[in-house]
Amino acid sequence: MSPTGRPNPLRDPRDRRLPRIAGPCSMVIFGVTGDLSRKKVMPAIYDLANRGLLPPGFSLVGFARRDWEDQDFAQIVHDAVKQHARTEFRQEVWDQLAEGFRFVAGAFDDDEAFDTLRRTLLELDEARGTGGNHAFYLAIPPGLFGTVASQLQEHGLAEDPNAWRRVVVEKPFGHDLASARELNEVLGEVFPSGSIFRIDHYLGKETVQNILAMRFANEMFEPLWNSNYVDHVQISMAEDVGIGGRAGYYDGIGAARDVIQNHLLQLLALVAMEEPTSFDADSLRVEKEKVLAAVVLAKPLNRSTARGQYVEGWAGGEKVPGFLQEEGIAKDSRTETFAAITVEVENRRWAGVPFYLRTGKRLARRVTEVAVVFKRAPHLPFSEHSTEELTQNALVVRVQPDEGMTLRFGSKVPGTALEIRDVSMDFAYGGSFTESSPEAYERLILDVLLGDPPLFPRHEEVELSWKILDPVLEHWARTGSPEPYASGAWGPSSSFAMLSRHGRTWRRP
C-alpha cells in the first residue's frame, strides 16, 4: 500500500502476493521450425512451466510443413529447451509439459491440415482440460498473416462464445504506414482488437518497465523531467554483430524499420509520456499515443538524420566482412545497417528538447540505453581549472547488457584544492536483487495467456510510429547510398555531425 492507504499502481499484487498463473489453455505455434520459435518461444514456455506459472494441462501444438509425428515435435522442443532455456532442466516438469505436445503437418493454405488442427484442439479440450482457450502464435512472415487468419476463421477456430481465442504477431508490423494499415485490417477482420497481441520484446524487459517505476514511484526525478532541466535525450541500441544468417530478412528492411520504428520509438514514448491515471492497458496506451502523435522530425532531414552501411574491419579482435560481402546480400544493396534520427516532442513538457535515436550493427559494443542529459548549471562559482573535466549531469538507463541505471554528477576530488570531477552512482539489477530477471518472452507470453495487454502496442501506436519514420525512409530513397563506416566503430561521420553542429556529442557507453 502507498502512504495514502491506496494500492500502489506500480505494484501488481498478483506478482508478489499471488502468483500470476495462466488458466486452462493451449498455444498453437505457426512457424515452429524457425529461429524465433526455437530460441525464444519454446524455451520461454518451458521456463514458465518450470516456475509453476502454467496450468497442469497446458498444451503446445506445432504447425509446419514437416513429416513429423508428435514425438518428433517433442524432440525439437526438448533440444530447444536444453540449449536456450533460462531455468534448470527438471525431468518432472518436462514430462508433464510434454504430455500436452501435439503436431499438425500441413501448409498454411491446406484446408485438410486446418481441419486436423481443429480436431486436435477439440481433443485437447477433452483430454487436457484446455477449455476451448487457445492462443495462435504467428511466428511467420507478415505476408502470411492473412492466409493463416482466414484459415482460422473459415475452420471455426478464431472465435468461441464460451472461451477466448487470441492471436500473437511479431514485428515488423508492416514496412510502411500503408502496409501496416493493411495488416491491421487483415487481422481485424478475423479477431477483435483486444484479442490481437503485437509483441515488441523490448517492452517485456525488466529495465524498460523500470522506466515507469523510476519516473512515477520516485519524487526526485519527475520535477526535473522537462525542458526546464533536460538538455537532450539519447536512445541507442548498438549491436557488435553483423546480420549473420538474416540476409533474406534484413536486406530491404534495414536498421530504421527493424529497430527505430518499434523498439526505439516505444522507449521514447515511455520516457516522454505523462503519468497515466492507472497502469492498465488503456491508460498506458492513451499516454503513449499522445506522445507519438506529438513527435515531429527535426529539419532539414539531410542534417538531422544519418544512415550508414558497415564495411570490413575488425570486431572482437577478428577481421569481419562488410555488409556487401555478407552471403545473400546484393553487391549494390542500399540497405542501411546504421540509422539515426532527430525528433522533438511538441508539447509543453518537452518543447525544444531534441531526442536522438540511433541503432546499428557491427558497432564497437553491444548496448541498449536511454540517456537523459541535463542542462549545465547556469552559474559555476569555481575557477576555470577546477571544472575542466566536468560534463553534463546524466541519468542513464541500461536496458542491456548489465541492466541497471547510472547517475552522473560532479563531485569534489579529495584533497586541499577545490577540484570538481565527474563521478557515477550505479544501480545494477544483479547486485540489488536476489531474484533473476525473467526473459522478456516469458513475461509477454504469460501476459498473452492471461489476456493482460499493457505491454503490447495497439495498432494506433504502430501507425503513429510509421507516420514518424516514413518521411525519413522516403528522403533516404531519393538521396543515394548509405555512408560507409568501419566495423567496430560507432557509425558514420554524419551521425556525429547531427549532434556536433549543436555542440553535443554521442555518449560512449
Side-chain angles (χ1 to χ4, degrees):
M1 300 289 285
S2 69
T4 64
R6 295 192 298 265
N8 181 350
L10 285 169
R11 176 177 293 163
D12 185 341
R14 296 169 299 180
D15 280 336
R16 292 295 181 189
R17 299 163 195 171
L18 294 173
R20 302 173 68 227
I21 300 175
C25 60
S26 80
M27 177 173 281
V28 181
I29 303 179
F30 295 92
V32 76
T33 59
D35 279 357
L36 174 65
S37 296
R38 291 187 301 103
K39 295 180 179 179
K40 297 294 184 181
V41 180
M42 295 174 188
I45 287 172
Y46 170 80
D47 288 331
L48 289 171
N50 208 7
R51 294 165 58 202
L53 300 179
L54 296 182
F58 176 82
S59 301
L60 181 66
V61 181
F63 189 109
R65 186 184 288 179
R66 291 288 191 276
D67 186 20
W68 289 347
E69 300 294 335
D70 292 345
Q71 61 268 25
D72 300 315
F73 174 57
Q75 186 62 48
I76 295 296
V77 181
H78 178 275
D79 293 346
V81 166
K82 293 284 282 188
Q83 187 172 0
H84 300 290
R86 182 181 63 88
T87 59
E88 65 177 344
F89 186 85
R90 294 195 293 159
Q91 191 63 45
E92 65 274 18
V93 172
W94 171 257
D95 290 342
Q96 178 174 306
L97 188 62
E99 288 178 5
F101 290 169
R102 303 289 187 274
F103 183 76
V104 176
F108 298 144
D109 59 355
D110 184 347
D111 288 330
E112 185 176 341
F114 277 84
D115 283 336
T116 302
L117 176 61
R118 186 173 185 276
R119 291 193 300 270
T120 299
L121 295 181
L122 287 172
E123 181 263 324
L124 290 173
D125 290 341
E126 290 291 328
R128 302 277 295 171
T130 49
N133 301 316
H134 305 296
F136 302 101
Y137 201 122
L138 307 190
I140 56 179
L144 298 171
F145 287 177
T147 300
V148 173
S150 297
Q151 289 281 49
L152 293 173
Q153 184 178 45
E154 290 174 11
H155 292 82
L157 292 168
E159 59 181 347
D160 185 325
N162 302 312
W164 56 256
R165 303 291 165 89
R166 296 170 188 146
V167 64
V168 186
V169 296
E170 286 272 349
K171 74 173 186 72
F173 311 121
H175 60 269
D176 57 14
L177 177 59
S179 61
R181 284 176 170 165
E182 182 180 351
L183 188 58
N184 287 328
E185 289 174 3
V186 166
L187 294 174
E189 289 175 356
V190 178
F191 294 92
S193 177
S195 297
I196 302 172
F197 289 73
R198 299 168 183 83
I199 280 194
D200 184 336
H201 70 272
Y202 260 58
L203 298 183
K205 292 182 178 292
E206 287 287 341
T207 39
V208 171
Q209 298 168 52
N210 200 40
I211 292 173
L212 298 177
M214 178 269 295
R215 288 190 57 193
F216 302 126
N218 301 288
E219 184 65 19
M220 69 178 80
F221 298 117
E222 198 61 19
L224 308 178
W225 216 255
N226 55 62
S227 60
N228 292 327
Y229 300 98
V230 175
D231 180 76
H232 68 280
V233 179
Q234 299 181 20
I235 304 177
S236 301
M237 177 182 165
E239 297 181 87
D240 56 4
V241 298
I243 61 166
R246 300 175 69 213
Y249 163 78
Y250 200 86
D251 195 18
I253 297 293
R257 288 185 174 97
D258 190 40
V259 176
I260 292 181
Q261 182 273 331
N262 37 74
H263 301 331
L264 299 195
L265 285 174
Q266 283 289 322
L267 287 174
L268 180 151
L270 293 175
V271 169
M273 64 185 274
E274 297 297 322
E275 182 177 356
T277 55
S278 73
F279 281 80
D280 61 32
D282 287 339
S283 298
L284 279 173
R285 285 165 167 171
V286 163
E287 298 304 333
K288 287 199 293 178
E289 287 167 18
K290 285 181 184 177
V291 170
L292 293 173
V295 170
V296 297
L297 291 163
K299 301 291 178 64
L301 294 180
N302 64 325
R303 302 182 71 182
S304 65
T305 70
R307 61 174 176 152
Q309 195 179 82
Y310 66 82
V311 296
E312 66 179 3
W314 292 87
E318 296 183 1
K319 190 73 175 289
V320 294
F323 177 71
L324 298 181
Q325 285 76 53
E326 299 277 14
E327 185 177 352
I329 297 297
K331 300 306 179 186
D332 59 350
S333 173
R334 294 172 57 187
T335 300
E336 81 282 354
T337 61
F338 178 98
I341 66 173
T342 310
V343 300
E344 295 181 354
V345 181
E346 291 192 330
N347 61 20
R348 184 180 293 271
R349 180 187 288 265
W350 296 110
V353 177
F355 285 70
Y356 299 106
L357 282 59
R358 66 171 171 172
T359 182
K361 291 188 175 295
R362 283 274 185 244
L363 299 182
R365 59 171 296 206
R366 172 178 174 263
V367 63
T368 300
E369 67 173 33
V370 177
V372 180
V373 182
F374 294 93
K375 293 180 177 178
R376 296 183 184 277
H379 172 67
L380 293 174
F382 311 106
S383 70
E384 178 182 350
H385 300 294
S386 297
T387 60
E388 62 181 355
E389 295 185 32
L390 196 63
T391 59
Q392 290 166 274
N393 302 149
L395 178 64
V396 181
V397 179
R398 300 189 305 275
V399 177
Q400 66 178 14
D402 305 322
E403 293 87 348
M405 289 191 295
T406 297
L407 181 63
R408 185 180 68 198
F409 56 95
S411 179
K412 180 185 177 300
V413 178
T416 56
L418 186 58
E419 181 184 355
I420 312 297
R421 186 177 300 167
D422 281 337
V423 296
S424 293
M425 184 182 297
D426 192 70
F427 150 68
Y429 264 85
S432 299
F433 298 105
T434 57
E435 303 95 332
S436 61
S437 297
E439 211 274 343
Y441 275 87
E442 292 176 52
R443 171 69 188 266
L444 295 173
I445 290 174
L446 182 59
D447 283 350
V448 169
L449 302 179
L450 290 166
D452 195 15
L455 299 178
F456 297 85
R458 193 162 49 184
H459 74 271
E460 289 90 347
E461 294 174 61
V462 173
E463 293 182 9
L464 286 168
S465 297
W466 281 118
K467 285 182 180 179
I468 296 166
L469 191 60
D470 272 3
V472 177
L473 299 173
E474 292 166 4
H475 168 72
W476 287 348
R478 297 190 301 266
T479 54
S481 299
E483 179 185 352
Y485 65 93
S487 294
W490 278 108
S493 59
S494 54
S495 72
F496 295 94
M498 275 175 50
L499 277 70
S500 64
R501 62 174 52 99
H502 300 291
R504 302 185 178 103
T505 61
W506 288 108
R507 253 184 54 83
R508 286 294 180 95

